[in-house]
Amino acid sequence: MKSELIYPFDGEAFVETWALWLAHRKEIKKPIEGKIAQQAALRKLSRLASGSEEVAIAIIEQSLEDNWRGLWKLKTPLRNDKRQSASEAHARFWS
């Protein structure tokens, strides 16, 4: 039986940002190999983001910006009055 990854969020922006994270890891010669390791990283990301897709994308973007190998809690939490939809945050980051 072939198991598929279970993404904590199904938005296009999240899936694209996650793919960029995997590409980054491969680029720095520290790929996340195997479905078990990827699933564990996705669970950790969901936990760090407290179930928020927007925060999860921001966490990945923070790690990309700082060239980190891991996913860490946001250094500067998103403010409620500055919150955007996940797709708006994704577009802002990659524009």
Side-chain angles (χ1 to χ4, degrees):
M1 183 167 131
K2 190 175 183 180
S3 63
E4 297 294 324
L5 286 175
I6 300 169
Y7 291 94
F9 313 103
D10 58 3
E12 184 178 335
F14 175 79
V15 173
E16 288 175 6
T17 306
W18 180 252
L20 288 171
W21 173 246
L22 295 178
H24 164 71
R25 289 290 305 250
K26 189 173 182 179
E27 187 176 83
I28 64 169
K29 311 249 188 282
K30 298 289 183 187
I32 300 176
E33 296 190 10
K35 298 227 188 265
I36 293 172
Q38 282 191 49
Q39 195 65 66
L42 286 165
R43 276 194 309 272
K44 177 182 179 179
L45 179 59
S46 179
R47 193 172 55 253
L48 289 171
S50 299
S52 167
E53 182 175 7
E54 177 190 8
V55 174
I57 289 170
I59 288 170
I60 295 171
E61 291 170 347
Q62 170 183 261
S63 291
L64 291 170
E65 289 170 354
D66 293 337
N67 199 32
W68 292 344
R69 294 186 319 185
L71 299 166
W72 309 99
K73 193 172 185 173
L74 289 176
K75 292 186 283 187
T76 306
L78 297 177
R79 294 182 5 201
N80 285 336
D81 61 335
K82 296 289 184 183
R83 292 218 168 186
Q84 303 170 8
S85 72
S87 59
E88 289 172 330
H90 180 76
R92 181 192 89 269
F93 183 79
W94 296 107
S95 60

